[in-house]
C-alpha cells in the first residue's frame, strides 16, 4: 500500500531545497483553495538571467495543497498574480496546469508544474513585449503615412497634370533628335529610290 503522506513530505522537502526563498507554507485561508490541509505558495518569474529576474514586470504565485491520495490524484491548485498578470491569463494557466497534473498522475509533479508555469510565463511575457514592439512600429508607419501639403481638388489635379504632361513632352523632345533623324529619311525614299538602293534585290 502506498504511503501517500510520506511521498508528500519527501516532495515538500525537495521543493524547499530546490526553490528555497521562492517556496513557503501559507495558511489555508490565504490559499483560495477549499481545504484545511497544509498549503504552499511558490513564487514564479519568467525565465531570465539572475541579474534581470528582480526587475521582471510580471510575477505569479502557484499555490498547491496535497490531496489525500496525491500523487495518484491531482493536487489542489490555484494561481494568483503578484505583479502584472491579468485574470484571463491566470485562468488559462490554471487550466493548463490542471491538465498537466492529470497527465502526470502517479508521480510527484509539483516541480514539473512549476517549470511549466515558468515556461508559459516566459513565452507570454516575451509575446507581450513583441506585441508592444509591433505596435510601436505600426505607430511609426502611421506617422509616415500622414499626408502633408494642400488637399487634392479637381483644379489642383488638372494643374498638376498639365505640368506633368509638359515635363513629359520635354523629356520626349530631348530623346527625339536621334530617332527623328533616321526615321524620316526612311519614310522619304520613293519606290524608285528604294529599288535603286539595291534593297529590292532580296
Amino acid at each position: 500500500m502506498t504511503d501517500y503522506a510520506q511521498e508528500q513530505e519527501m516532495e515538500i522537502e525537495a521543493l524547499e531545497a530546490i526553490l528555497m526563498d521562492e517556496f513557503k507554507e501559507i495558511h489555508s485561508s490565504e490559499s483560495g483553495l477549499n481545504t484545511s490541509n497544509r498549503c504552499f505558495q511558490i513564487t514564479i518569474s519568467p525565465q531570465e538571467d539572475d541579474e534581470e529576474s528582480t526587475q521582471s514586470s510580471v510575477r505569479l504565485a502557484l499555490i498547491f495543497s496535497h490531496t489525500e491520495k496525491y500523487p495518484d490524484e491531482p493536487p489542489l491548485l490555484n494561481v494568483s498574480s503578484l505583479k502584472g498578470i491579468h485574470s484571463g491569463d491566470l485562468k488559462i494557466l490554471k487550466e493548463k496546469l490542471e491538465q498537466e497534473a492529470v497527465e502526470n498522475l502517479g508521480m510527484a509533479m509539483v516541480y514539473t508544474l512549476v517549470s511549466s508555469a515558468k515556461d508559459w510565463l516566459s513565452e507570454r511575457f516575451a509575446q507581450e513585449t513583441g506585441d508592444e514592439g509591433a505596435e510601436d512600429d505600426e505607430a511609426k508607419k502611421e506617422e509616415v503615412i500622414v499626408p502633408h501639403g494642400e488637399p487634392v481638388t479637381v483644379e489642383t489635379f488638372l494643374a498638376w497634370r498639365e505640368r506633368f504632361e509638359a515635363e513629359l513632352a520635354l523629356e520626349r523632345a530631348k530623346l527625339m533628335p536621334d530617332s527623328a533623324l533616321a526615321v524620316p529619311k526612311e519614310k522619304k525614299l520613293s519606290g524608285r529610290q528604294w529599288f535603286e538602293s539595291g534593297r529590292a534585290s532580296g
Side-chain angles (χ1 to χ4, degrees):
M1 183 176 175
T2 305
D3 187 344
Y4 294 115
Q6 184 179 359
E7 281 197 36
Q8 293 166 16
E9 191 59 40
M10 287 173 62
E11 182 179 38
I12 289 168
E13 288 176 6
L15 290 170
E16 281 179 323
I18 296 168
L19 299 170
M20 302 172 67
D21 292 342
E22 295 173 346
F23 181 90
K24 67 177 182 178
E25 184 169 357
I26 60 173
H27 194 275
S28 59
S29 62
E30 301 175 62
S31 68
L33 300 172
N34 186 21
T35 183
S36 57
N37 293 340
R38 295 173 72 192
C39 297
F40 302 91
Q41 174 179 304
I42 300 169
T43 302
I44 301 175
S45 300
Q47 298 268 24
E48 294 178 346
D49 295 335
D50 291 340
E51 293 179 4
E52 298 177 358
S53 61
T54 55
Q55 301 172 6
S56 173
S57 61
V58 290
R59 197 162 65 248
L60 65 83
L62 171 61
I63 300 163
F64 76 93
S65 178
H66 288 136
T67 52
E68 185 181 348
K69 294 183 180 180
Y70 173 90
D72 286 341
E73 62 184 17
L76 297 176
L77 293 172
N78 195 16
V79 287
S80 65
S81 173
L82 296 177
K83 185 179 180 184
I85 304 173
H86 299 299
S87 57
D89 290 333
L90 292 174
K91 182 180 179 183
I92 292 170
L93 175 59
K94 185 179 179 183
E95 289 173 356
K96 171 183 167 64
L97 295 178
E98 286 173 344
Q99 178 62 37
E100 287 197 27
V102 171
E103 293 169 1
N104 285 279
L105 289 177
M107 63 183 82
M109 67 183 78
V110 173
Y111 189 74
T112 301
L113 300 180
V114 169
S115 299
S116 181
K118 192 181 282 280
D119 290 343
W120 177 88
L121 196 58
S122 300
E123 290 171 13
R124 180 68 180 163
F125 179 61
Q127 182 180 336
E128 285 187 357
T129 304
D131 289 345
E132 287 170 8
E135 286 173 9
D136 290 342
D137 291 342
E138 199 63 37
K140 287 177 185 175
K141 287 180 184 176
E142 287 176 5
E143 285 175 14
V144 174
I145 293 170
V146 172
H148 297 285
E150 59 183 336
V152 177
T153 63
V154 175
E155 290 78 10
T156 55
F157 173 74
L158 291 175
W160 169 83
R161 191 173 69 175
E162 285 179 13
R163 286 198 305 273
F164 176 75
E165 288 177 349
E167 289 171 6
L168 198 60
L170 190 60
E171 289 296 321
R172 285 177 179 164
K174 289 179 183 176
L175 300 173
M176 189 70 73
D178 294 338
S179 57
L181 291 173
V183 175
K185 286 182 180 177
E186 291 291 329
K187 290 182 178 177
K188 287 177 183 176
L189 286 175
S190 65
R192 182 175 178 177
Q193 287 171 327
W194 180 80
F195 181 78
E196 290 175 349
S197 70
R199 295 185 188 182
S201 59

